[in-house]
């Protein structure tokens, strides 16, 4: 093995190890904790939720919103900004469907962004209160809440 290949192999191993260990040592938080977070995360944070693509081509996603429940933004009004995270993965990811359950980890930053989504009904502008860049993303087994918060669903008349 040449010196260049050995150096490349060592570098790839180190990068893989860093990614693996960073994800393994991330502190898991909940959506309720995110709602009341006073400042940026000083450590690696892991949060699970539902992926809504913002910047994508086919099944390849370059940027997405992480939401607390499936259907938010396209089937009902969007959650408040403190319940929306704009995520840029460290590398594009492939998805099978919108609202796919995922877990993201990285350094969470408070940041106000407005993203424009193109859905069947037209264009929707969604505000996010957090940003996560160069995030590790993995598919997750996320349990969706039985219902979205009552104040956010347009289907209130069905409860009567």
């Amino acid at each position: 093995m040449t010196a260049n290949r050995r150096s490349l192999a060592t570098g790839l191993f180190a990068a893989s190890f860093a990614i693996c260990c960073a994800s393994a040592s991330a502190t898991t938080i909940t959506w309720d904790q995110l709602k009341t977070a006073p400042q940026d995360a000083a450590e690696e944070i892991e949060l699970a939720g539902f992926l809504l693509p913002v910047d994508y081509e086919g099944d390849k996603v370059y940027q997405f919103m992480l939401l607390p429940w499936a259907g938010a933004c396209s089937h009902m009004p969007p959650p408040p900004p403190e319940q929306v995270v704009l995520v840029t993965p460290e590398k594009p990811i492939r998805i099978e469907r919108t609202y796919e359950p995922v877990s993201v980890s990285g350094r969470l930053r408070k940041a106000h962004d407005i993203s424009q989504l193109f859905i069947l009904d037209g264009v929707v502008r969604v505000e996010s209160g957090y940003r996560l860049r160069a995030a590790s993303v993995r598919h997750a087994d996320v349990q969706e809440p039985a219902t979205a918060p009552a104040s956010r669903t347009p289907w209130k008349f069905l409860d009567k």
Side-chain angles (χ1 to χ4, degrees):
M1 184 180 271
T2 67
N4 284 344
R5 284 190 180 178
R6 191 172 319 125
S7 175
L8 178 62
T10 303
L12 290 174
F13 174 77
S16 298
F17 181 77
I19 291 168
C20 165
C21 293
S23 297
S25 64
T27 302
T28 302
I29 64 170
T30 65
W31 287 98
D32 286 336
Q33 290 169 320
L34 183 68
K35 199 182 320 184
T36 59
Q39 59 191 22
D40 295 346
E43 58 187 36
E44 292 280 316
I45 296 292
E46 182 172 358
L47 178 65
F50 299 90
L51 178 154
L52 181 60
V54 172
D55 183 12
Y56 61 96
E57 186 176 335
D59 65 347
K60 204 176 209 181
V61 177
Y62 301 94
Q63 190 174 54
F64 62 91
M65 287 187 206
L66 187 68
L67 305 166
W69 63 85
C73 302
S74 62
H75 301 303
M76 60 189 72
E82 67 271 7
Q83 291 284 279
V84 179
V85 180
L86 184 62
V87 180
T88 305
E90 60 190 349
K91 60 182 181 180
I93 62 168
R94 294 196 183 280
I95 63 168
E96 293 179 17
R97 66 187 190 286
T98 301
Y99 297 114
E100 197 163 305
V102 295
S103 180
V104 299
S105 60
R107 295 200 186 263
L108 190 66
R109 303 281 183 229
K110 282 196 174 232
H112 183 259
D113 291 298
I114 298 176
S115 300
Q116 198 166 272
L117 302 174
F118 299 93
I119 59 173
L120 292 175
D121 300 349
V123 177
V124 174
R125 295 178 63 199
V126 180
E127 294 182 57
S128 54
Y130 294 95
R131 184 182 300 148
L132 194 59
R133 291 190 173 150
S136 295
V137 180
R138 64 178 177 81
H139 294 278
D141 184 21
V142 178
Q143 298 300 317
E144 187 173 359
T147 60
S151 63
R152 293 283 172 190
T153 179
W155 309 109
K156 292 179 213 165
F157 67 92
L158 292 175
D159 295 335
K160 295 179 182 178

